[in-house]
Amino acid sequence: MKKYIVFLFSFMAIQIGSGIVLTWLYTPDPAKLWSEAAQAPAEVQFVGPNFGMLFISAVLALVISLLIMKLFRRFSRPHRG
């Protein structure tokens, strides 16, 4: 049960951390936004999600979480002398 909790927390931490970093690095360009606003359509068109990037980010987070679990397991074992 302990390994599942470690996996869950490490997976969530990676997802939240990557979201914070991506938000922090985002810099909008106001001039570009205003120039594009004049050409914006009257109706909103929703585009489907990009499943490729979603899948890649989920697999990457999974691999990093598994590596964290492996490191946690290595350091939590009692040392035999």
Side-chain angles (χ1 to χ4, degrees):
M1 182 69 177
K2 187 177 179 182
K3 63 181 177 179
Y4 296 117
I5 294 172
V6 171
F7 175 77
L8 179 67
F9 280 118
S10 62
F11 188 80
M12 288 174 33
I14 291 168
Q15 291 294 319
I16 292 170
S18 66
I20 289 171
V21 168
L22 290 173
T23 303
W24 180 54
L25 294 176
Y26 175 71
T27 54
D29 185 10
K32 183 179 177 185
L33 293 174
W34 279 112
S35 67
E36 291 177 357
Q39 303 165 357
E43 294 181 9
V44 176
Q45 297 176 359
F46 291 102
V47 179
N50 185 349
F51 288 111
M53 289 303 292
L54 180 66
F55 181 74
I56 289 171
S57 65
V59 169
L60 184 62
L62 176 72
V63 168
I64 293 171
S65 297
L66 289 173
L67 290 174
I68 291 172
M69 271 184 49
K70 216 170 208 182
L71 285 173
F72 182 78
R73 188 178 308 148
R74 177 189 290 175
F75 291 119
S76 65
R77 289 183 184 164
H79 296 288
R80 295 181 184 165

